Amino acid sequence: MKIFKMAIMAALSVLVIVSCGTRGNKKATSEPAAETKAAEETETCLTAIDEYLTTVIGSQYAQGEICIPSKRVIAVDESNPEDIQVLGDFWIDNFNVSGDTLVSVSGGSHPGKMHVKRDSEGHFAVTAFDEVGDGSTFLTTAKKIFGEHFEKFRKVNSDQTGREEARKSAIAAYVSKHNLPVKVYKDYGWPAVEIPKVYATTEN
């Protein structure tokens, strides 16, 4: 859904517990996943989705200095590495940097199904995106795309608190990864929101 918003109440950036293509070919579904403090460095179908959101979806909006994708994943089907299917509520945010503040420029919601392919060298790329329609077509297309997971999607899509928390996590991870000298982000007409610190973790 290509909905411009000057006062974005949310966006989502949640990584699912499943590896999304890195644990072999298996079918997996998940409830809206628990948030992680930072994105995995290894390439997965989720990193491919982030790239797609940034370069394809993000470019459709008024441009900012930086583009931050976010998502809440509903379910993943990894049974076919040629067509890994990721159902989710996907968002994009474009920001400008002003002092210690990320100032919202544009962004919006794009729920649907991402089709991701893993090649013989282990690289992932989005090959297609089945997007939920706008306006009067929203309900019909959402039911068709999400199928048995429609009720999960409807719950996630209507959860503004969870959406904003997921968005905040995505922003925090991006700021930490790129060492941006910012402390807060701000949507038009809304108070600035503090960006939480992201601390690196060491795997055993």
Side-chain angles (χ1 to χ4, degrees):
M1 298 174 65
K2 303 171 179 64
I3 305 173
F4 280 89
K5 56 184 180 56
M6 296 304 295
I8 307 171
M9 276 302 300
L12 343 299
S13 177
V14 183
L15 297 182
V16 289
I17 296 174
V18 297
S19 63
C20 196
T22 59
R23 295 188 304 178
N25 302 333
K26 59 181 71 177
K27 185 173 182 179
T29 60
S30 72
E31 296 290 341
E35 294 173 336
T36 58
K37 290 186 177 181
E40 295 290 339
E41 289 299 323
T42 55
E43 183 182 359
T44 69
C45 67
L46 295 178
T47 60
I49 289 172
D50 282 345
E51 178 69 16
Y52 181 87
L53 289 170
T54 300
T55 60
V56 178
I57 303 298
S59 64
Q60 300 173 12
Y61 288 91
Q63 295 299 288
E65 294 174 346
I66 62 174
C67 181
I68 303 178
S70 50
K71 56 195 171 290
R72 298 181 79 188
V73 173
I74 309 300
V76 179
D77 183 349
E78 302 177 81
S79 59
N80 179 5
E82 297 291 315
D83 185 25
I84 301 169
Q85 299 180 15
V86 183
L87 291 163
D89 200 0
F90 307 104
W91 283 74
I92 201 74
D93 280 291
N94 288 317
F95 293 99
N96 285 334
V97 178
S98 178
D100 66 353
T101 304
L102 290 180
V103 180
S104 178
V105 174
S106 62
S109 169
H110 297 264
K113 179 192 293 183
M114 295 281 184
H115 296 265
V116 183
K117 181 178 180 178
R118 184 181 189 184
D119 65 23
S120 59
E121 296 182 351
H123 300 304
F124 296 84
V126 173
T127 58
F129 179 36
D130 302 331
E131 187 171 358
V132 174
D134 291 317
S136 62
T137 66
F138 178 87
L139 188 60
T140 301
T141 55
K143 286 182 176 180
K144 180 178 180 180
I145 292 169
F146 284 89
E148 64 181 305
H149 304 292
F150 173 72
E151 289 302 323
K152 294 179 184 179
F153 163 69
R154 184 162 64 176
K155 180 179 179 181
V156 169
N157 185 251
S158 62
D159 178 13
Q160 292 189 355
T161 299
R163 183 185 304 164
E164 183 60 28
E165 286 302 310
R167 179 190 183 210
K168 185 187 297 184
S169 293
I171 292 170
Y174 186 97
V175 168
S176 176
K177 180 178 180 179
H178 297 276
N179 295 314
L180 297 181
V182 294
K183 298 179 180 179
V184 297
Y185 64 94
K186 190 178 189 307
D187 296 319
Y188 181 79
W190 291 87
V193 177
E194 184 177 359
I195 299 171
K197 297 288 186 181
V198 173
Y199 299 97
T201 58
T202 302
E203 295 184 0
N204 294 327

